[in-house]
Structures are given as C-alpha cells and as structure tokens.
Amino acid sequence: MAKEIFAIFGNPVSHSKSPLMHNLAFQGLGYDACYTRHLLEDGTKLKETFFNLKLKGVNVTVPHKEAAFNACDELDSFAQKIGVVNTIVEREGKLYGYNTDAPGFLKAISEFKEVKTVLFLGAGGTAQSTSSILRDEGYEVTLLNRSQERLEKYKADGFQTYTFETFEPCAFDLVINMTSAGLADNNLPAPQHILDTVIPKAKACVDVIYGKETPFLKLSKNHQKPTKDGSDMLLYQGIIAFEHFTDYSYTFNEIKPLMQKVFDFN
Ligand code: NDP
C-alpha cells in the first residue's frame, strides 16, 4: 500500500502546529504516513487540490472551513448541522467531512465541574460550532459580541445574545474568550468594566487562544479565577481528527502522549 499523505489547508498555514502533532503520532505509532501543509488560496479549489495532491485526509483551517463543508460528499450528523468542516478523509474516492473543533473544545472544558451557564465573548466561526455542541450537551450559552451583525444567526437559533451596549450583567459559571482579541494584540475581548462584573462571579475563565497569556487570562488571574488556555482544545481536536484519519485504529489515550509532545517544541 502506498504511503498515506495528509495535510492542513489554510491561508495562512505556515504557523500551524498540525503537521508536527500528526507526524509525532504517526511516527510514535509506526503508522506509515506523513503530514504536510498546503497554502490554499481559493477555497473553491479545495476538492481539486485534495485529489491533485493524492491526499488521504486533510485538516482545514481559516478561512476555508465552510468551503470544506461544501467539498464533502458525505458529512457526519454534527458537521451537517453546523455547516463547518475541519477534517476530511478520503474513502474509495469520496470525501467524508467531520468537525473536530467542537468535540475537542467540549472535552477541554469538561474538567470544570458543575458548570451550567456559559458566556461566550465573541460570535465568530469557532463560536458557531462550539456553541452548538455545548447546547446539545445541556449547557446554557449566552453570546456577547462587539458587533451586532454576527449575532443575528445565533439569535435566530434561539441563543441569548448581547452587544457591549445591550449587555445586562448577570452570573455565568464559565466565561470564555472566543475572539481573536489578544492573539496578535493586547486587546481585551470586551470592555473592562463588563469583564470586571462577569469574571468575579465565574467559577473559571477559558481562552481559546493558546501559547500565550492573553490580557483576558491575565485579568482573570488577577480576579483569582482558575484559568485554561486553548492548548487542550488544539490537542483534542487533533486527536479526534487522527482517530478519523486512521479509522479508529488507536485509542485516544495511545495518541495523546505522542501528540502532546508538540508543546515541547517552540
Ligand atoms: P472569527 O474571525 O470567525 O471571529 C472573530 C471574533 O472575534 C468575532 O466575534 C469578532 O467580533 C471578535 N473580535 C476580534 N477582535 C476583537 C476585538 N479586538 N475586540 C472584541 N472582539 C473582537 O475567528 P475564529 O472564530 O475563527 O477564531 C477565534 C479565536 O479562536 C482565534 O483567536 C483563534 O486563534 C482561536 N482558535 C483556537 C483553536 C484552538 O484549537 N485552540 C481552534 C480554532 C480557533 P466582531 O464580530 O465584532 O468582528
């Protein structure tokens, strides 16, 4: 059998940790495959590019997760529901699509017990899949976003939504930064006076950004709250994708220690 080749598609894609994560696992498990990266500029070319490169599977990152959804022949029920795909596997010439960001995130926050109400700061693409899975699991998700525009679809889906101007402070068990504020800048995801009312009432604060202490996490620590960054979300979405890539040949706990080594590299 020819060596299986996997890749990540995105734009940009040079920063992605996925190639290292997956190659560490392939190597550690003795699975004959390799994983590379591909800068995909035009999302409508996703399927064509996949087959031209003779790939077995891909992860898809910003801005092509909706294009990935459109490229698939078969979708699992969750990907079908949310319209966002980040993992594709080829089987007998057909492309099968999955979303592993959301279950990865769900697993990452499962360490926080007795959590019912969650405040999302942000309403972008990541919030879309994660809000849906959290609601399916019985959490009550409220969204607070800078602009009204992105909130419209959440409102239509029955979520409680606020902008900074309309927000009515109340208590939430978890406060989660789902924005890109703090990623390449020093911004808070919401005005400090709002955060100073919700953080003290929370049991814990979570950021989906990984590899740095964002202003949001810093503020949460100043309020003496337990915090967590996005590293586990990254790790868990990768492990779940790997399970699809290898058709569940390995358990989560066999893959985890190998992929986790990614955090030893800088
Ligand atoms: P999107 O571009 O889809 O959405 C960005 C969101 O951030 C919008 O709600 C936007 O609000 C808000 N935002 C951006 N800048 C600011 C600011 N300065 N102040 C307040 N709000 C702001 O991004 P994604 O959903 O794709 O990604 C969000 C974050 O999730 C990123 O930081 C990304 O790195 C991280 N991520 C982490 C993963 C992991 O594995 N740990 C996986 C995937 C994503 P508005 O509508 O007003 O513009």
Side-chain angles (χ1 to χ4, degrees):
M1 201 173 71
K3 194 183 189 92
E4 292 181 350
I5 306 170
F6 297 85
I8 179 153
F9 285 170
N11 185 11
V13 79
S14 59
H15 66 288
S16 173
K17 289 192 187 294
S18 291
L20 182 55
M21 281 169 63
H22 287 271
N23 284 325
L24 283 165
F26 285 138
Q27 212 172 42
L29 294 164
Y31 191 93
D32 191 19
C34 71
Y35 190 115
T36 183
R37 64 184 88 227
H38 183 85
L39 176 71
L40 183 71
E41 283 173 349
D42 181 356
T44 64
K45 301 260 164 66
L46 194 148
K47 194 168 191 169
E48 186 185 326
T49 309
F50 186 103
F51 285 111
N52 284 344
L53 294 174
K54 298 188 170 40
L55 300 171
K56 174 67 184 166
V58 287
N59 288 124
V60 181
T61 187
V62 177
H64 299 313
K65 293 185 190 183
E66 282 85 11
F69 173 86
N70 292 325
C72 289
D73 303 298
E74 304 281 344
L75 294 156
D76 82 344
S77 57
F78 182 69
Q80 175 82 59
K81 180 174 153 188
I82 57 166
V84 184
V85 161
N86 78 320
T87 300
I88 300 177
V89 186
E90 180 274 329
R91 295 188 192 99
E92 292 170 359
K94 276 185 165 184
L95 298 187
Y96 289 74
Y98 309 90
N99 183 290
T100 73
D101 286 328
F105 175 77
L106 181 67
K107 190 166 173 61
I109 64 158
S110 64
E111 72 181 60
F112 299 112
K113 304 295 175 206
E114 291 174 34
V115 168
K116 175 83 181 157
T117 55
V118 179
L119 178 65
F120 273 24
L121 308 168
T126 308
Q128 194 181 325
S129 60
T130 52
S131 59
S132 178
I133 202 164
L134 257 58
R135 183 158 71 176
D136 290 351
E137 291 295 314
Y139 293 86
E140 271 171 37
V141 182
T142 299
L143 296 108
L144 171 63
N145 196 52
R146 182 177 58 180
S147 71
Q148 175 63 39
E149 205 188 336
R150 285 203 217 234
L151 290 170
E152 293 301 334
K153 65 175 179 300
Y154 293 90
K155 223 164 131 181
D157 275 349
F159 287 98
Q160 178 70 268
T161 64
Y162 297 103
T163 61
F164 299 158
E165 290 72 32
T166 62
F167 187 63
E168 292 164 16
C170 64
F172 299 94
D173 296 328
L174 272 189
V175 180
I176 305 180
N177 178 23
M178 283 279 167
T179 75
S180 42
L183 182 65
D185 54 45
N186 272 322
N187 294 326
L188 284 166
Q192 184 157 354
H193 71 270
I194 293 183
L195 297 176
D196 283 338
T197 60
V198 290
I199 293 174
K201 295 181 188 136
K203 291 181 177 152
C205 299
V206 176
D207 205 313
V208 291
I209 295 171
Y210 58 85
K212 67 178 286 197
E213 185 179 74
T214 59
F216 171 70
L217 284 187
K218 205 168 183 173
L219 182 65
S220 306
K221 283 179 191 167
N222 288 346
H223 282 289
Q224 270 101 45
K225 292 295 160 183
T227 60
K228 184 179 179 80
D229 79 354
S231 302
D232 278 351
M233 178 185 180
L234 173 76
L235 178 66
Y236 296 155
Q237 64 73 31
I239 297 172
I240 300 165
F242 193 92
E243 290 177 326
H244 290 302
F245 289 159
T246 56
D247 276 330
Y248 288 84
S249 302
Y250 307 97
T251 65
F252 191 95
N253 288 335
E254 281 174 311
I255 305 162
K256 186 177 173 186
L258 297 164
M259 278 206 171
Q260 211 162 20
K261 289 186 194 159
V262 71
F263 300 114
D264 298 341
F265 296 80
N266 261 325

